[in-house]
Amino acid sequence: MSRRTVAALSRSLAQGEFSSTELTRDYLDRIKKFNGVFNAYITVTEELALAQAAAADQRRARGEHGPLTGIPLAHKDIFCMRDVLTTCGSKMLANFISPYDATVVERFNAAGTVTLGKTNMDEFAMGSSNETSFFGAVRNPWDTERVPGGSSGGSAAAVAADLCAMATGTDTGGSIRQPAAFCGITGFKPSYGRISRWGMIAFASSLDQAGPICKSAEDAALMMNVMAGPDIKDSTCVDMAAPDYMATLNDSLKGLRIGVPRQHLAKGLGAEVESALQEALKLYESLGATVHEVDLPNSHLSVSAYYVIAPAEASANLSRFDGVRYGYRCENPVNLEDMYKRTRSEGFGSEVKRRIMVGTYALSAGFYDAYYLKAQQIRRLIKNDFDNAFKDVDVIIGPTTPHTAFKIGEKNDDPVTMYLEDIYTIAVNLAGLPGMSIPAGMHNGLPIGIQLVGKDFDEARLLNIAHQYQQNTDWHLQRPEV
Ligand code: GLN
C-alpha cells in the first residue's frame, strides 16, 4: 500500500480501504527493513507516528479531516520539532531537543499528518551530496553506490524508497531540486517568502526556502496547500493569502510560452540530460505550448555570487552556536575563550568551517566592497535577466543538473566541482523565484530531472505546467527496486 502517491493514498483513506494506523505501520516496517541501507532517517518517531495515526483515524471517522489527514510524512532535520531531536545534520546539535515546532511542522500537525521522523541532510544544509552529514552519507535508492544529492538527500531518498509518502525539504541553492532530480521524484521550491521560515534552522536567510519533496506535482500542490501562506512569526513571509494550488492543476497549456535559456544548453550539459529535455519540450509543444530561446547572460556568475553571499550569511547565522546556551559544548574548557574555540572546532565539520571562514573574510572591513557588495550587485543583474526573460515567456524550462547521480566520494577532493553541481539551480534562489524539478527520463538506470522556473509567486501556474506533463508521461511513476 505504501508505494503510491499522496493523492492516491488520500483517496484510499477516504474510501476506508485501509486506516492511517495500518498505513503508518507499513511505513514503519519499511523503515526498519531499509533505513539501514539508505541511512535516510536520523530519528524515527515511531510512538508519535502511531499516536498521530490513531488521532487521524478518529478525525476521519468524525468527518473532520482534510486531504492529508493520516498521511505519513518525514521532516528534514532542519525543522525544529518539539520534544524531538533536531540536529541539522551536525555534531553541534546532536543533543538538541527542540522546545518548539517550526511553523511548517505546526501546519502539518494541524492538517493531521503523521510524522514518521527526521531525515538526514548535509550539515547545516551545506552540500550537494549528503556526504557532509555528521550522521553519515545517505545512499541513493536507485544505486546505493551513488549519492542521493543534497542537502535534502534524506528526504529525497526516503520518498524515492517509499520510507514515507512525502517529505519536507529546504532549498538555499538547489537542495530540494537537485536531490529530487537524482532520486527521480518531484521537488518544489516556492518563491522566497511564500512559506514561513520560522523554526527552520537558518543557513543563508535571504535564500533559504522550505518546500515539498514528493512523487508528483499533484502531491506538491496538496502539500503547498498546507505549507504556504503568511505567518506573523516570520516578517519575510509575504502577507498574501496563498491560492488553492489544486484548483488550477488541470488548466490548459494552450498558448503557453516556454523559454529555454541558451546558456543552459551550452558546454557542460550531459547529452542524456539534454535529450530528455528536448523530449519534454516536444511533449509540451504537443499540448499547445511554444518554445523560445531566452537569454540569461549573467547566469554563469551565479555560483560565484552565491558562494560569497551564502557563506557571508551563514557566518553570521552560525555564530549562535557557541556552546553556551544549547547544543554541543567541549569537555573541560579551561576558560571562556577555550570553550568557544574548542566547541566550534569540535562541533562543526570541515565544509561548515570552510563556509564560516569564507563568509567572515568576505564581510571583513577590507574586503566587503570587493566581494560582498560585488556579489550583491551580480545578484541584482541575475534577477534583471529573469525579469527580462519573463517579458516574453511564461515559464523557463531547462535541466536541473548537468548529469545523473554521481558516486559517493567522487567529488570530495575539490569543493569547487561540488559547488558546480548547482549551476542551473542557484540563480533561481538568488532571484527569489519558484522552481521545481520533475523526473523526465532515465539513463543507465538513473533518473534525470528537468527544472521549471516560474515568475514571482506564480507557483500555481508552475504546478499546473508540471502536472500536465505528468498526466501525459510516466517518468514520475518509476520506482527503484528496493
Ligand atoms: N549545494 C548548495 C550549497 O552547498 C545548496 C545547498 C542548499 O540549497 N541548502 O550551498
Side-chain angles (χ1 to χ4, degrees):
M1 69 181 96
S2 58
R3 310 214 77 182
R4 310 185 201 172
T5 62
V6 169
L9 290 172
S10 177
R11 282 191 293 274
S12 298
L13 286 173
Q15 283 156 13
E17 208 178 299
F18 43 76
S19 67
S20 172
T21 302
E22 289 169 308
L23 183 62
T24 300
R25 283 193 198 284
D26 197 50
Y27 279 112
L28 288 169
D29 283 348
R30 288 181 66 84
I31 293 171
K32 272 181 203 139
K33 253 194 242 157
F34 301 119
N35 194 47
V37 181
F38 302 119
N39 198 24
Y41 282 87
I42 292 173
T43 302
V44 179
T45 50
E46 174 162 359
E47 236 175 88
L48 172 70
L50 290 170
Q52 285 179 327
D57 285 330
Q58 282 168 13
R59 265 177 78 167
R60 282 202 177 260
R62 290 197 303 267
E64 290 164 8
H65 55 274
L68 296 189
T69 306
I71 303 286
L73 93 168
H75 288 299
K76 183 176 182 178
D77 209 12
I78 198 167
F79 292 98
C80 285
M81 225 176 113
R82 193 163 35 137
D83 298 338
V84 173
L85 189 67
T86 298
T87 71
C88 218
S90 183
K91 177 176 177 183
M92 189 59 93
L93 290 175
N95 62 0
F96 174 61
I97 310 278
S98 171
Y100 63 91
D101 282 327
T103 295
V104 163
V105 171
E106 201 171 71
R107 288 192 179 165
F108 275 112
N109 285 344
T113 57
V114 171
T115 310
L116 294 167
K118 308 291 296 290
T119 57
N120 204 340
M121 55 180 285
D122 278 303
E123 186 178 8
F124 286 102
M126 297 172 189
S128 299
S129 66
N130 222 295
E131 293 165 291
T132 73
S133 170
F134 175 63
F135 300 90
V138 174
R139 290 172 182 273
N140 190 316
W142 292 90
D143 176 350
T144 53
E145 302 282 287
R146 290 175 190 270
V147 305
S151 65
S152 311
S155 285
V159 170
D162 288 288
L163 306 188
C164 62
M166 57 184 179
T168 54
T170 63
D171 191 311
T172 305
S175 281
I176 287 176
R177 290 160 287 159
Q178 187 252 16
F182 279 9
C183 290
I185 54 175
T186 298
F188 190 71
K189 182 203 93 73
S191 311
Y192 182 79
R194 182 53 103 181
I195 295 178
S196 170
R197 291 183 297 111
W198 199 78
M200 193 174 112
I201 295 171
F203 162 13
S205 308
S206 77
L207 299 160
D208 298 343
Q209 186 59 205
I213 295 184
C214 49
K215 295 194 181 100
S216 68
E218 187 182 19
D219 286 4
L222 286 164
M223 291 180 74
M224 282 295 288
N225 276 356
V226 171
M227 299 170 84
D231 179 13
I232 198 158
K233 294 179 191 144
D234 175 5
S235 60
T236 63
C237 187
V238 292
D239 194 11
M240 174 166 75
D244 174 1
Y245 294 101
M246 294 293 283
T248 45
L249 285 181
N250 288 313
D251 285 3
S252 160
L253 299 190
K254 280 215 171 53
L256 178 78
R257 294 164 306 165
I258 297 175
V260 180
R262 197 156 55 83
Q263 289 77 5
H264 288 189
L265 299 177
K267 202 172 113 251
L269 179 62
E272 67 283 1
V273 182
E274 174 156 8
S275 75
L277 174 63
Q278 297 299 353
E279 285 302 309
L281 294 171
K282 270 189 225 148
L283 183 107
Y284 276 118
E285 283 177 324
S286 77
L287 299 176
T290 53
V291 176
H292 313 265
E293 193 176 273
V294 293
D295 216 14
L296 298 175
N298 294 294
S299 61
H300 66 289
L301 300 173
S302 62
V303 173
S304 318
Y306 172 91
Y307 278 99
V308 172
I309 294 169
E313 294 184 21
S315 72
N317 276 327
L318 271 57
S319 64
R320 74 192 66 176
F321 302 106
D322 56 6
V324 175
R325 285 150 297 189
Y326 55 90
Y328 178 76
R329 178 183 292 178
C330 69
E331 304 249 353
N332 308 319
V334 295
N335 56 33
L336 184 64
E337 195 178 324
D338 179 50
M339 199 273 286
Y340 284 151
K341 273 193 189 156
R342 281 204 291 119
T343 293
R344 289 170 66 81
S345 306
E346 293 163 19
F348 289 135
S350 55
E351 183 59 30
V352 173
K353 285 181 196 156
R354 182 179 296 128
R355 308 269 181 123
I356 292 173
M357 306 242 301
V358 169
T360 308
Y361 182 82
L363 288 176
S364 59
F367 302 105
Y368 181 91
D369 288 354
Y371 296 106
Y372 185 72
L373 204 63
K374 202 39 138 243
Q376 292 290 17
Q377 288 165 340
I378 293 170
R379 183 175 189 175
R380 182 72 242 173
L381 294 178
I382 287 169
K383 170 71 168 138
N384 291 350
D385 286 353
F386 278 109
D387 288 347
N388 282 333
F390 280 123
K391 283 181 192 148
D392 302 320
V393 298
D394 307 304
V395 63
I396 290 174
I397 301 187
T400 308
T401 58
H403 42 240
T404 54
F406 51 91
K407 289 231 165 88
I408 292 177
E410 193 180 317
K411 290 184 194 279
N412 285 349
D413 297 337
D414 176 9
V416 176
T417 59
M418 190 70 93
Y419 296 171
L420 286 170
E421 280 302 296
D422 294 315
I423 183 87
Y424 305 124
T425 51
I426 275 181
V428 180
N429 301 72
L430 290 170
L433 300 171
M436 80 188 287
S437 181
I438 54 175
M442 296 287 293
H443 179 66
N444 292 338
L446 296 170
I448 296 170
I450 56 168
Q451 178 177 228
L452 281 55
V453 181
K455 298 179 187 175
D456 277 321
F457 297 102
D458 207 9
E459 284 89 4
R461 186 64 169 150
L462 211 49
L463 290 165
N464 159 233
I465 295 166
H467 181 66
Q468 289 309 306
Y469 178 81
Q470 293 181 338
Q471 293 298 99
N472 290 281
T473 54
D474 59 7
W475 296 115
H476 66 296
L477 301 176
Q478 313 259 335
R479 295 277 170 275
E481 295 287 336
V482 172

